[in-house]
Amino acid sequence: MWRRHQGRFRPVGCGIEELRRNRREREAALRKARREQQLVSRRLLRDNALEEASGVVEILGEAEILQFLRLAHRGTEEKEREKALVSLHRGLQHPETQQTFIRLEGSMRTLVGLLTSNQALLQLAAARCLHELSHSEHPAVAEACLPATSYLLTYLSGHSSDFIELCLYTLGNLIVGSEAVRKQLLPQGIVPALAACIQSPHVSVLEALGYALSQLLQAKEAPEKIIPSILDTPLPQHMLRLLQPGPKLSPGVAVEFSWCLHYIICSQVNNALLITLGALSTLGLLLLDLAGVVQRTEDTGLELLACPVLRCLSNLLTETAVEAVEGQIQLGDERVVAALFILLQFFLQKQPSLLPEGLWLLNNLTANSPSFCTSLLSLDLTEPLLQLLPVSNVVSVLVLTVLCNIAEKGPAYCQRLWPGPLLPSLLNTLAFSDTEVVDQSLELLQLLFLYQPEAAQAFLHQSGLQALEKHKEEVQLQDRVHALRETVLHG
Amino acid sequence: MQLPATLRARLSEGPGAAEPLPVVRVPAAGAAPFRFVARRVRFPREHEFFEDGDVQRHLYLRDVLTQVAEAPERPRVPEFPCQVAGCCQVFDSLESYEHHYHALHRSVCSICKRAFPSGQLLDRHLLEWHDTFFQVLAEKQNMYQCLVEGCEEKFRTSQARKEHMVRRHLYPADFRFDKPKKSRGVPATICFGQGASRGFKSTKKRGKHH
Ligand SMILES: [Zn+2]
Ligand SMILES: [Zn+2]
Ligand SMILES: [Zn+2]
């Protein structure tokens, strides 16, 4: 009854082109919101029956709301009282009804009374009304729900999984609604309550919990006020347990908790703790697993999980604590490089906007690791890497940076890097007008000429100097253009 | 992007690391006017590098809201009554039965038939109301433990605890801590506090409806 609808398109009455345009518009709105640091989203659980019944939601006026509340409150039969609440629930799908509802004196008190009543049907129907309110974008609506939060938290510890799921999504929505809500939820014990709930065996509960936690972690004040208390509980251990590849791994749950981990890790509160708990090895294995899945299926939803996993690994690799465990198998395992390339290929086909995130991890893997650089060479991955150069300027710069990471390790590396398509590719990038791309190309050429002198000769013979000429007037580049020219001409 | 055929094979083999080629650097590398240094990069949460991925994440969260697809139907069952003695509730779905059972029969005090929303609250109730040893101890020391998950504080009386929960944990001041009615069969109220109820009856008397 209370299954969340999966994110699939229903192309009824709507062409593909219309869906695409619609998606582009929503993307633009989200981008704008993110730049304004206003990017929040809420999830809605809805009953199938209600979904079918509601073609157009009618706005309820004060009198109707009061009428339904009165019926729910004083009706003689439970079924009749439930029906009144179901009607109210349907009405509350409309933002205007939500506003009217919260302005009505005593309405929330009555609803909370029903939420805590001893009649299970009413309890459930009242919880659905609250959930509908929690989905509102208006902070005032979220704040009107404040009297309900202590009960929602209490219900997390021992109800039917459907009801707990509903409470969790409601809490997750309210959390992003207003800081006032978070200021109340923290003392009310939301963190310990979630820590207790994460031991639930129900996948739907775990996914809802991951959602609520990710909402909490996105709060502006999270690094100072929320993450330290989360790290003090067994939550991190359980989150990592739920990300371990294997037959028990649920993609929906893993998506939520990998985003949670990302929010924790990029806040840099205590990443050493996560590393001690084995975060690198768990995430590394998950990356291998994802690469395996990509090869077997066409599931495009995979990037939703791959993205936070890449971010977590990349940021964790910058921690000094990593050095201590570097010798261990998880980071010395060259299969991580193989998996990453399989994912890069997948992104190229399905979600090119995620290529930079994958290349960022490749940079962090190769920057300080001769072993990973050697793997990349011995697995013959230079050519596929070069094939990414035309994708975009950002991608080009990252690809060239990874090549620089390899080249700066010295002659043995440049000797392996050199044969094949590297020179033609570099001559192409010199034709780019983007300064950053050319900038990084010049750095790579310097290393190649230094460690693999025959590269300078080949460059000269293939009209490399003419390609350089183009950039000799650019202030940022001219010193290096000049230096390279000298090297090529005079050794 | 053409990946070597051997790559997939490498993935399915066991873990292993490449024996690194010898690293030999000369000082001229990266020396001015050149400046390359291999380094790991960290990005903070708000960095624009994360924009695309964040947008995808939020589209996913919202897709769930706006894109409606057929969810698996749960099996329909003929109406059936609650099996608990004294309860005459009838159900048309397993979910509503499950909810009813958890709300009213799962954590019920066997002595006074009060229902609790969780096993922990039932345990507190059993201790505080039906354990004579507790009563003896409570006269000498703080025995009323805070009901909020994760708080270990203890109080002399349940009233002091209530004040603590309202002050420290921002529990609603109208969180009802009075004694609920006893009944046979179905519990009359759900108890949130120590023997306390947050029954709907409480709001009925207030006459908030015009
Ligand atoms: Zn029953
Ligand atoms: Zn009792
Ligand atoms: Zn306390």
Side-chain angles (χ1 to χ4, degrees):
Chain A
M1 180 164 58
W2 276 90
R3 283 304 94 196
R4 186 172 52 72
H5 296 306
Q6 291 302 320
R8 275 175 280 150
F9 286 100
R10 184 171 65 174
V12 177
C14 235
I16 289 289
E17 199 39 55
E18 196 178 337
L19 282 171
R20 280 205 189 114
R21 192 175 57 242
N22 183 285
R23 191 180 167 93
R24 273 198 302 275
E25 278 165 14
R26 293 195 303 146
E27 260 188 55
L30 292 181
R31 259 173 231 288
K32 182 167 174 288
R34 190 186 186 277
R35 285 180 192 143
E36 292 162 357
Q37 302 205 333
Q38 303 285 332
L39 183 56
V40 291
S41 299
R42 295 172 185 81
R43 265 187 168 176
L44 193 56
L45 277 174
R46 255 183 209 166
D47 189 315
N48 277 348
L50 189 68
E51 202 82 59
E52 283 152 23
S54 64
V56 180
V57 178
E58 278 181 43
I59 301 171
L60 300 183
E62 273 192 30
E64 288 159 300
I65 295 174
L66 277 174
Q67 165 78 7
F68 287 135
L69 279 174
R70 196 174 294 133
L71 259 173
H73 187 177
R74 297 183 182 166
T76 43
E77 270 186 55
E78 192 179 3
K79 278 281 174 197
E80 179 197 12
R81 298 171 67 184
E82 189 206 3
K83 245 179 97 181
L85 273 181
V86 169
S87 303
L88 180 62
H89 175 206
R90 188 170 302 147
L92 285 173
Q93 290 178 23
H94 201 288
E96 232 169 276
T97 312
Q98 295 170 356
Q99 293 290 336
T100 315
F101 179 87
I102 63 161
R103 280 197 304 265
L104 271 177
E105 208 204 321
S107 58
M108 187 55 75
R109 200 184 313 125
T110 306
L111 195 59
V112 171
L114 291 160
L115 175 73
T116 56
S117 82
N118 66 327
Q119 276 155 310
L121 284 177
L122 296 180
Q123 204 180 46
L124 193 57
R128 286 173 185 160
C129 289
L130 263 175
H131 180 69
E132 208 64 53
L133 288 167
S134 78
H135 192 245
S136 165
E137 285 176 13
H138 296 277
V141 178
E143 282 165 28
C145 296
L146 281 171
T149 57
S150 57
Y151 303 107
L152 292 172
L153 287 173
T154 307
Y155 285 140
L156 298 187
S157 55
H159 255 273
S160 66
S161 56
D162 283 351
F163 194 62
I164 295 178
E165 186 192 9
L166 181 60
C167 294
L168 282 166
Y169 278 117
T170 305
L171 285 165
N173 290 345
L174 292 175
I175 283 166
V176 293
S178 126
E179 194 177 351
V181 175
R182 297 191 290 273
K183 277 194 170 146
Q184 178 171 291
L185 280 169
L186 289 169
Q188 284 184 345
I190 187 169
V191 173
L194 294 178
C197 198
I198 201 170
Q199 309 201 26
S200 166
H202 298 282
V203 170
S204 60
V205 167
L206 292 172
E207 185 174 350
L209 192 150
Y211 167 73
L213 190 59
S214 77
Q215 297 285 81
L216 199 55
L217 287 165
Q218 282 176 88
K220 287 183 189 72
E221 71 276 17
E224 298 80 33
K225 296 189 177 145
I226 299 170
I227 296 176
S229 62
I230 285 173
L231 293 177
D232 262 353
T233 68
L235 275 168
Q237 269 151 273
H238 285 287
M239 287 159 69
L240 288 170
R241 170 179 61 83
L242 294 166
L243 289 172
Q244 268 159 18
K248 280 189 181 163
L249 183 89
S250 151
V253 173
V255 167
E256 297 310 314
F257 286 111
S258 56
W259 279 96
C260 288
L261 268 186
H262 161 60
Y263 296 131
I264 294 177
I265 289 169
C266 68
S267 302
Q268 272 204 308
V269 175
N270 185 359
N271 286 343
L273 172 77
L274 293 171
I275 291 170
T276 313
L277 291 173
L280 275 168
S281 107
T282 301
L283 292 163
L285 289 173
L286 186 53
L287 195 77
L288 298 186
D289 199 53
L290 285 174
V293 175
V294 161
Q295 296 176 72
R296 288 194 300 272
T297 67
E298 288 284 291
D299 184 358
T300 48
L302 213 83
E303 66 277 8
L304 296 162
L305 179 53
C307 173
V309 171
L310 292 171
R311 290 179 180 189
C312 289
L313 278 169
S314 298
N315 267 337
L316 277 182
L317 282 169
T318 66
E319 297 292 333
T320 46
V322 167
E323 309 295 337
V325 286
E326 188 119 38
Q328 284 176 29
I329 199 74
Q330 70 265 20
L331 280 165
D333 190 350
E334 69 176 3
R335 291 180 306 169
V336 169
V337 176
L340 186 50
F341 271 83
I342 289 167
L343 288 173
L344 289 173
Q345 188 188 43
F346 170 76
F347 292 153
L348 184 64
Q349 288 159 4
K350 302 277 154 102
Q351 193 74 56
S353 65
L354 290 180
L355 279 170
E357 307 220 11
L359 289 165
W360 169 41
L361 176 57
L362 192 59
N363 173 70
N364 284 7
L365 285 172
T366 51
N368 303 343
S369 166
S371 178
F372 277 136
C373 289
T374 306
S375 293
L376 200 147
L377 294 169
S378 61
L379 293 170
D380 293 320
L381 295 170
T382 314
E383 204 171 325
L385 192 59
L386 290 170
Q387 286 165 12
L388 293 176
L389 280 172
V391 173
S392 70
N393 290 339
V394 176
V395 166
S396 294
V397 171
L398 284 161
V399 165
L400 291 163
T401 307
V402 170
L403 293 169
C404 284
N405 287 343
I406 300 171
E408 71 91 31
K409 305 283 183 294
Y413 291 81
C414 288
Q415 199 189 349
R416 296 280 294 274
L417 204 53
W418 176 246
L422 182 59
L423 182 58
S425 299
L426 279 173
L427 289 169
N428 268 337
T429 62
L430 286 181
F432 275 48
S433 52
D434 183 75
T435 309
E436 279 185 60
V437 175
V438 178
D439 180 309
Q440 202 62 50
S441 310
L442 299 181
E443 295 291 337
L444 181 56
L445 284 170
Q446 193 241 353
L447 294 168
L448 286 170
F449 295 168
L450 195 62
Y451 292 132
Q452 177 74 9
E454 78 177 64
Q457 292 316 303
F459 186 76
L460 183 63
H461 292 136
Q462 296 192 33
S463 316
L465 288 181
Q466 286 89 314
L468 274 181
E469 285 296 291
K470 270 187 65 183
H471 305 287
K472 69 176 181 196
E473 305 298 332
E474 284 173 63
V475 183
Q476 276 187 56
L477 306 173
Q478 58 191 192
D479 290 353
R480 283 174 288 168
V481 167
H482 182 74
L484 284 177
R485 203 185 137 80
E486 289 301 296
T487 309
V488 170
L489 291 175
H490 311 295
Chain B
M1 190 180 182
Q2 204 61 44
L3 294 178
T6 49
L7 197 65
R8 287 157 211 285
R10 180 64 196 93
L11 197 61
S12 49
E13 286 162 21
E19 184 56 47
L21 296 164
V23 177
V24 179
R25 294 187 177 100
V26 299
F34 297 91
R35 52 195 172 206
F36 177 75
V37 183
R39 58 188 179 88
R40 291 172 171 159
V41 181
R42 192 183 80 79
F43 288 119
R45 172 192 307 225
E46 296 303 333
H47 200 283
E48 63 178 338
F49 188 79
F50 288 150
E51 185 177 292
D52 280 305
D54 284 359
V55 165
Q56 294 308 317
R57 158 71 176 164
H58 282 263
L59 274 175
Y60 166 65
L61 288 178
R62 293 177 183 205
D63 272 355
V64 172
L65 327 177
T66 51
Q67 291 169 20
V68 181
E70 267 62 55
E73 273 291 316
R74 293 199 183 180
R76 290 206 177 277
V77 290
E79 283 207 346
F80 62 98
C82 181
Q83 298 297 305
V84 176
C87 180
C88 38
Q89 189 70 251
V90 178
F91 308 94
D92 56 8
S93 75
L94 288 170
E95 290 71 44
S96 57
Y97 170 69
E98 206 192 328
H99 178 72
H100 164 87
Y101 180 82
H102 276 86
L104 293 173
H105 303 309
R106 191 160 177 258
S107 302
V108 174
C109 173
S110 57
I111 301 160
C112 66
K113 306 294 177 214
R114 292 183 178 106
F116 295 84
S118 72
Q120 293 95 303
L121 288 175
L122 171 62
D123 290 345
R124 290 304 316 167
H125 164 83
L126 284 169
L127 197 65
E128 294 173 11
W129 281 67
H130 305 301
D131 187 323
T132 43
F133 189 56
F134 177 93
Q135 303 302 337
V136 174
L137 284 178
E139 282 169 27
K140 300 188 187 108
Q141 49 185 292
N142 293 351
M143 289 295 286
Y144 288 90
Q145 197 184 322
C146 176
L147 301 172
V148 175
E149 187 90 50
C151 181
E152 303 283 311
E153 277 199 66
K154 289 181 175 170
F155 300 88
R156 197 60 191 262
T157 62
S158 63
Q159 179 61 26
R161 170 174 62 194
K162 180 196 165 177
E163 281 158 18
H164 159 82
M165 285 173 69
V166 171
R167 203 182 57 249
R168 168 75 187 79
H169 299 296
L170 307 183
Y171 266 54
D174 68 345
F175 195 91
R176 289 182 55 88
F177 282 76
D178 57 346
K179 206 174 157 186
K181 274 191 219 142
K182 292 183 186 184
S183 77
R184 273 175 293 133
V186 190
T189 45
I190 306 288
C191 311
F192 279 86
Q194 170 244 17
S197 77
R198 168 76 205 196
F200 185 55
K201 287 187 178 64
S202 62
T203 51
K204 203 164 184 171
K205 294 187 192 91
R206 306 182 82 112
K208 73 187 81 62
H209 301 314
H210 316 292

